[in-house]
Amino acid sequence: VSAGFERWKRKGRLVPARGYAYAVLKTGQTTIACYCVHLKANRSNTFKGQQQDIYNREVAVEQLLVATKERPDRIVIAGDFNTNLDDAAWVSEASLRRLDENGYAYCFQGVPMSRRVTIPARKGYPDVTFDYLFFKGFRMKTPGCVVAGAPVSDHNAVAVTLFDE
């Protein structure tokens, strides 16, 4: 139906890094909107910088939620969120929680950390889950899984089988 790329919009003095790609697909009578995100990385080594990175991601997610309001009932949001629910460094961050609060299900619900590592430990950093797939208007056939060793990225791929509610 349509596809494109949008940069995040300015909010005050902040212009969030990057943006999102999207595609709206139609199969039979079903319309599905798919969004691919890559939110602000954690490049800051100071507390203030880390808080700015968190705010950058939160603003981006809020803008994404506005963009999806006008879309069909079936929506997939996936990509590198550069945050997780396991690490105390991001305990105050609301990015992922805002998706949950707005009716999006999380493909790794109930999956132990050992089975959802999207970036394996390296250079002093522990295993982490930064890549997610959120969805609305579907049910999961099986929980999300990680496909290790994709030759196109230093991240492991995330896979999940969804079906109509």
Side-chain angles (χ1 to χ4, degrees):
V1 175
S2 66
F5 173 82
E6 295 285 334
R7 292 202 175 277
W8 303 119
K9 294 170 181 51
R10 174 180 296 279
K11 181 175 181 181
R13 292 177 33 202
L14 173 71
V15 180
R18 303 183 177 115
Y20 62 89
Y22 67 92
V24 179
L25 313 166
K26 189 163 184 115
T27 175
Q29 297 301 313
T30 304
T31 303
I32 305 166
C34 301
Y35 294 83
C36 180
V37 303
H38 186 184
L39 301 184
K40 175 71 172 84
N42 298 293
R43 302 280 185 216
S44 303
N45 292 324
T46 66
F47 179 77
K48 180 180 179 182
Q50 291 167 346
Q51 295 307 302
Q52 289 170 329
D53 292 345
I54 288 170
Y55 182 62
N56 192 306
R57 290 189 294 269
E58 289 173 341
V59 167
V61 167
E62 287 302 322
Q63 290 181 20
L64 186 61
L65 289 169
V66 169
T68 61
K69 292 272 189 232
E70 303 301 318
R71 296 295 184 188
D73 293 335
R74 289 177 177 82
I75 300 172
V76 174
I77 300 172
D80 181 352
F81 286 78
N82 274 307
T83 187
N84 70 55
L85 300 169
D86 304 307
D87 193 315
W90 297 288
V91 71
S92 68
E93 185 167 349
S95 301
L96 302 178
R97 287 191 307 274
R98 291 291 293 135
L99 291 166
D100 177 63
E101 292 164 359
N102 280 272
Y104 288 89
Y106 161 57
C107 76
F108 290 132
Q109 190 67 42
V111 176
M113 175 62 186
S114 62
R115 292 189 32 229
R116 58 179 168 79
V117 174
T118 63
I119 304 178
R122 66 174 184 255
K123 298 181 183 175
Y125 292 98
D127 287 344
V128 70
T129 304
F130 272 179
D131 304 86
Y132 298 90
L133 188 143
F134 289 87
F135 57 92
K136 184 188 277 190
F138 296 98
R139 288 190 304 157
M140 278 192 300
K141 185 172 185 176
T142 57
C145 67
V146 170
V147 181
V152 296
S153 176
D154 59 337
H155 295 228
N156 291 326
V158 175
V160 63
T161 301
L162 304 174
F163 62 96
D164 285 342
E165 287 190 307

